[in-house]
Amino acid sequence: MGGGAANLLSMALRVAVDIGGTFTDLVYVDDATGALGLAKTSTTPGRLQEGVLAAIRQAGFDPAEVARFVHGTTVVINAITERKGVPVGLLTTRGMRDVLEIGRGNRPDIYNLRYQKPRPFVPRRLRLEVRERLAPDGSVVEPLREDDVAAAAEAFRRAGVQAVAVCFLHAYANPEHERRAGDLLRRLLPGAFVTLSHEITREWREYERTSTTVLNAYVGPIASGYLERLEADLRAAGIGGALHIMQSGGGTITFAAARETPIHLVESGPVGGVVGAAALAAELDLGDVITLDIGGTTAKSSLIKGGEVAVTTDYRLEWTPRYAGYPVKVPVVDIVEIGAGGGSIAWLDDTGRLHVGPESAGADPGPAAYGRGGTRPTVTDANLITGRLDPEAFLGGRMRLDLEAARRAYQPLAAHYGIDVDAAALGVLRVADAVMMNALTLVSVQRGYDPRDFSLVVMGGGGPLHGPALARELGIRRVVVPRAPGHFSAWGMLTSDLRRDLVQTFVTDLDHAAAGDLEARFTAME
């Protein structure tokens, strides 16, 4: 056997790393022996790749043995929610400049007289129009005016734009104008990150397509730079195997593909837990399941019926019952996310009413019990005060929790209500459970499903802590706690496979469609 083949056979490890708001989790499986290994380190905000490398060092395996590395990252969602993307310009068909402002014209909170529409990620002065027009069937109504594209490129250059989103009317039916505009922009704006709408989605709906294209451009340089740095660091550490990243639709793609379309990573981390729950349900014959993933910042839930993970292209970032959010028209596993996790801060509003989240203590400084300077009361502190966490056994005994610091953080709340610290902590846990319950009912009751017909698979550091009480409230009879629930999302990534979702709108009259039209469309997509 040649040396190259022998070396390939020696690469027996599959490794997954999931970055959460508080901790970075690593799971590896040795395919030669079946051994499972775990590691967990603090997430390093602003330098996420350092947390990944720290987890690899803690795991202690030989990087040269890694055959496949799978990564789940929060870099895309963080850049959007924290508004830390790059200056973006939008190039669109004449007359479509204000589609981001107009949106769908609907108001989710119709009786709120102070309702404000989501603010576009591109200011109006950087939304430029060109003369071109396509009909809904893709036929050319007006040819592309290349001089308009050149003028827009110069305007973008003067404005310091670092990324350009191109979204032409009906480009989902015929992408030729977008392709030509993209070629011109890449030549006239070297170094700019150019996103063409048809490369992201081939579905109709101008507002949704434009929003998705803009968001991809907004985070493109950030995500691309992060993945390039991480790849370089992984290779320098000795990992020579395939590098994949978890995408929102439930499968993985290569680092190279993810650098071009990072919007597919918007729910990269949480999806691993849902995919893993589907695999676990099949292995244990659990039937239909609801997942509950409680991490340091959020509680996430999804419903799996008939063994199928639900995927939607009607996902909205930052959506709430009172806020329309931003549509992302790419395949995303149907997950409901609520701002209540272990690091969620308990606070009082101006009327003295108690709230939990969505603000989180994060990884730095973290809950008061971590002893890193945090002083505000969190859910983790409440779990420690009430005896639901062992201060000597946290992180497998590698991190000792400070009970006195947690009690000091809860003293102002206790004083406000005239109760002792233990009662205040218990009250916060009840409020946190009520917030988390909302995630479970949103994926079940409010969609016509009876949660009593499902098993509950809990994961994340807080899933087993809160899951049984929530299950009792909903009448769920079986709660499944997998091995190493705090690492379950990373383990789920190892059960995934390479995946590419292709969706295309094709408008036709089925009664008069030419024979073979639909078959030809499917064949082209395949």
Side-chain angles (χ1 to χ4, degrees):
M1 181 180 292
N7 183 59
L8 184 63
L9 290 175
S10 69
M11 298 169 68
L13 297 183
R14 290 181 291 124
V15 179
V17 177
D18 175 34
I19 297 179
T22 306
F23 292 107
T24 295
D25 306 323
L26 181 147
V27 174
Y28 70 88
V29 174
D30 187 335
D31 287 332
T33 65
L36 177 75
L38 308 171
K40 185 183 284 280
T41 62
S42 292
T43 293
T44 49
R47 51 191 196 285
L48 296 176
Q49 67 272 19
E50 292 184 13
V52 175
L53 296 173
I56 292 172
R57 289 193 295 270
Q58 185 190 110
F61 55 75
D62 181 358
E65 295 184 8
V66 176
R68 184 181 185 227
F69 178 91
V70 186
H71 184 37
T73 179
T74 56
V75 67
V76 171
I77 189 74
N78 287 350
I80 294 173
T81 57
E82 297 171 10
R83 303 300 191 266
K84 291 184 178 178
V86 301
V88 178
L90 171 65
L91 192 67
T92 190
T93 304
R94 184 170 60 177
M96 305 301 292
R97 180 184 189 182
D98 294 318
V99 69
L100 290 178
E101 301 275 6
I102 297 168
R104 281 274 151 228
N106 57 337
R107 289 171 49 159
D109 192 12
I110 61 174
Y111 298 111
N112 181 359
L113 299 180
R114 297 182 179 180
Y115 172 77
Q116 293 183 342
K117 281 188 174 184
R119 180 177 296 179
F121 280 78
V122 185
R124 195 171 193 272
R125 62 184 177 83
L126 295 180
R127 302 199 298 261
L128 305 182
E129 300 177 341
V130 299
R131 287 168 286 182
E132 69 85 36
R133 194 79 171 193
L134 297 173
D137 64 357
S139 60
V140 176
V141 176
E142 180 180 0
L144 173 67
R145 292 289 295 268
E146 296 187 2
D147 54 332
D148 287 357
V149 178
E154 176 58 23
F156 288 147
R157 186 191 63 78
R158 290 196 305 267
V161 163
Q162 297 178 33
V164 179
V166 181
C167 190
F168 291 160
L169 190 66
H170 303 308
Y172 59 86
N174 179 359
E176 287 307 312
H177 284 182
E178 280 194 354
R179 287 182 181 138
R180 180 55 185 154
D183 291 341
L184 291 170
L185 288 169
R186 292 184 177 106
R187 178 168 59 83
L188 297 171
L189 293 173
F193 188 93
V194 177
T195 295
L196 309 180
S197 76
H198 74 273
E199 296 174 341
I200 306 297
T201 175
R202 296 292 294 271
E203 287 191 75
W204 66 355
R205 303 303 184 201
E206 293 310 306
Y207 170 52
E208 286 80 358
R209 284 199 311 120
T210 305
S211 172
T212 307
T213 307
V214 164
L215 289 172
N216 189 79
Y218 181 72
V219 301
I222 306 297
S224 181
Y226 165 72
L227 290 174
E228 286 177 1
R229 292 190 298 272
L230 178 60
E231 181 172 2
D233 289 344
L234 292 174
R235 296 307 189 200
I239 292 179
L243 302 180
H244 295 155
I245 192 160
M246 196 76 194
Q247 57 182 338
S248 305
T252 60
I253 52 176
T254 64
F255 273 33
R259 285 197 292 267
E260 297 300 319
T261 57
I263 197 63
H264 284 282
L265 313 180
V266 69
E267 288 287 2
S268 174
V271 165
V274 181
V275 173
L280 186 68
E283 186 72 21
L284 301 180
D285 195 22
L286 297 177
D288 300 332
V289 301
I290 297 173
T291 70
L292 178 64
D293 182 355
I294 302 176
T297 306
T298 60
K300 298 164 282 286
S301 184
S302 186
L303 186 143
I304 303 170
K305 188 168 179 61
E308 292 293 326
V309 174
V311 178
T312 179
T313 59
D314 291 326
Y315 177 79
R316 283 180 177 262
L317 273 168
E318 301 181 8
W319 180 90
T320 72
R322 296 188 175 185
Y323 189 67
Y326 300 89
V328 177
K329 206 150 188 67
V330 297
V332 179
V333 169
D334 193 7
I335 296 176
V336 169
E337 192 164 344
I338 302 292
S344 294
I345 294 170
W347 56 282
L348 300 172
D349 63 20
D350 293 339
T351 67
R353 181 185 175 192
L354 178 64
H355 300 263
V356 176
E359 185 182 359
S360 172
D364 186 15
Y370 286 6
R372 297 173 179 169
T375 59
R376 302 176 68 183
T378 69
V379 173
T380 293
D381 296 316
N383 278 314
L384 178 63
I385 292 168
T386 54
R388 293 163 55 158
L389 286 176
D390 183 347
E392 305 294 336
F394 199 71
L395 281 186
R398 290 183 288 107
M399 182 177 181
R400 188 182 186 283
L401 297 180
D402 188 339
L403 177 58
E404 289 308 311
R407 297 185 70 87
R408 284 195 301 272
Y410 266 84
Q411 190 59 51
L413 271 182
H416 174 82
Y417 287 111
I419 56 179
D420 61 32
V421 166
D422 297 80
L426 186 59
V428 165
L429 291 178
R430 287 173 174 164
V431 173
D433 281 349
V435 176
M436 295 170 184
M437 179 72 70
N438 191 33
L440 294 175
T441 57
L442 280 172
V443 300
S444 59
V445 176
Q446 295 195 29
R447 298 182 182 178
Y449 295 105
D450 187 341
R452 294 173 295 183
D453 297 333
F454 293 77
S455 298
L456 182 65
V457 177
V458 296
M459 63 194 80
L465 281 170
H466 297 267
L470 299 176
R472 184 186 301 115
E473 187 73 18
L474 288 172
I476 296 175
R477 294 181 293 275
R478 179 162 54 183
V479 178
V480 180
V481 182
R483 179 184 175 187
H487 294 77
F488 191 75
S489 285
W491 179 83
M493 294 176 190
L494 293 182
T495 70
S496 66
D497 201 351
L498 286 167
R499 172 171 175 155
R500 178 74 184 273
D501 292 284
L502 295 175
V503 183
Q504 183 172 355
T505 295
F506 175 47
V507 182
T508 186
D509 181 349
L510 290 178
D511 289 333
H512 302 95
D517 272 0
L518 287 177
E519 187 64 33
R521 295 279 174 166
F522 280 115
T523 300
M525 293 171 71
E526 289 173 355

